[in-house]
Amino acid sequence: MTTAEAQPLAGEDIAVIDLLDRLLCGGVVVAGDITLAVADIDLVYVSLRALISSVSVLEGGELAPQRTKAALKR
Amino acid sequence: MIYLYAIVETGARPPACSGIDDEPLEVVLLGGVAALCSTHPQRPLSPEPELIWRHDLVLERAMAGGPVLPVRFGTTFADATALQAALAGKETGFRAQLGELRGYVELAVRVSLPEEWRQAPAEGRAYLENRLALRRELEAATQGVLAPLESFARDSRRLARIAGEPFIKASYLVSTGEVDRFAAEVRRLGGSSGDLQVSCTGPWAPYSFVGEEAA
């Protein structure tokens, strides 16, 4: 669940990875139907990495401005 | 098909947004707790960006109204009967957890070593030496950053390291009133930790603190 490139991760990328760590690996697990293909998860990492999150990101002492998820609507 | 976002308190109202596929959110009572969910025609779900963000948006809005137990992304049930059956007998545990998590949020911290660590030697003795050195550096980062933050949180979880990757991650359960203080401590530790890169994201619903005991 990581990136392989040499560039440091931008705050948005870290927020997306933190989001995916939680939604896909955390949370209450109940005996419902979870039908997620593992292969899809890598794909979603790639496609989400370009997106902007609304969570605030602290990095290198800076608190990034609050961003809006509205930017994600296509 | 019923998509389940979270377990909430019986008095909770649906957040003022729609669920995935723009379907309306509902709060379904299940004994002592309630399920925050939406109803859909049967469809396959994969973790596409729109669905991921919608799930997260629903949780973020729901958190503003009271404690939530976030449910793993992609959890669905054939119908209301299947939902009730899956949660039967767990209401008491869920209620207790909701009570314990009231007023707390999750913060995620990541500590990364400088990027040079990604250009590791591929083989031989140099490879092994690099792996050992990486392990030592990450252990030092754990003791230097992740461990001190624990005293600013009620609970914490260190995520398993990924072999060969130059970073470590942890989750912290922090009172909403202490988020700023925690963030200030992250900045302070980041500023005094040489070339380590320290990041903190959140507040998240307590995804990492609703583990096995509720399942």
Side-chain angles (χ1 to χ4, degrees), chain B:
Chain B
M1 180 184 92
I2 294 179
Y3 186 93
L4 178 62
Y5 303 85
I7 308 295
V8 295
E9 294 186 314
T10 51
R13 298 226 182 117
C17 63
S18 53
I20 61 174
D21 295 340
D22 267 332
E23 295 290 350
L25 295 172
E26 311 155 57
V27 172
V28 177
L29 297 182
L30 302 161
V33 292
L36 177 58
C37 51
S38 53
T39 303
H40 304 264
Q42 189 69 35
R43 61 161 281 186
L45 281 170
S46 63
E48 300 147 24
E50 285 80 2
L51 300 181
I52 294 263
W53 286 117
R54 180 56 61 165
H55 180 111
D56 180 54
L57 175 70
V58 169
L59 264 293
E60 188 181 298
R61 297 281 169 86
M63 278 168 75
V68 299
L69 305 183
V71 171
R72 183 157 307 177
F73 175 84
T75 302
T76 62
F77 302 88
D79 52 29
T81 309
L83 170 66
Q84 301 248 0
L87 300 182
K90 295 175 176 159
E91 295 91 343
T92 308
F94 286 147
R95 254 180 94 144
Q97 280 209 315
L98 283 166
E100 287 165 14
L101 291 169
R102 184 187 307 282
Y104 285 85
V105 293
E106 176 172 331
L107 297 176
V109 173
R110 173 192 179 102
V111 185
S112 305
L113 303 182
E115 287 300 313
E116 299 88 88
W117 285 95
R118 289 203 181 275
Q119 278 93 57
E123 56 194 24
R125 188 188 168 98
Y127 169 81
L128 290 175
E129 284 175 349
N130 183 270
R131 288 296 288 267
L132 282 171
L134 175 62
R135 191 194 295 177
R136 277 197 301 273
E137 292 289 323
L138 289 176
E139 183 55 33
T142 300
Q143 294 310 317
V145 180
L146 297 187
L149 286 172
E150 287 168 7
S151 59
F152 292 82
R154 192 181 86 185
D155 200 358
S156 65
R157 300 272 187 280
R158 290 182 196 165
L159 276 71
R161 284 180 207 165
I162 302 171
E165 288 291 342
F167 61 81
I168 45 173
K169 300 189 274 195
S171 302
Y172 297 87
L173 188 66
V174 178
S175 156
T176 49
E178 298 281 320
V179 168
D180 288 346
R181 190 160 154 256
F182 186 93
E185 187 61 14
V186 170
R187 276 193 292 267
R188 193 188 70 74
L189 286 165
S192 65
S193 299
D195 49 9
L196 295 180
Q197 187 188 37
V198 182
S199 71
C200 176
T201 64
W204 305 99
Y207 284 100
S208 307
F209 299 93
V210 289
E212 312 313 321
E213 59 270 56

Side-chain angles (χ1 to χ4, degrees), chain A residues 28-64:
Chain A
V28 176
V29 177
V30 290
D33 305 315
I34 297 189
T35 53
L36 300 182
V38 171
D40 286 346
I41 295 176
D42 287 337
L43 293 177
V44 88
Y45 261 67
V46 172
S47 53
L48 274 172
R49 274 169 42 73
L51 302 177
I52 305 298
S53 93
S54 78
V55 297
S56 56
V57 179
L58 280 165
E59 196 180 359
E62 297 291 318
L63 183 60

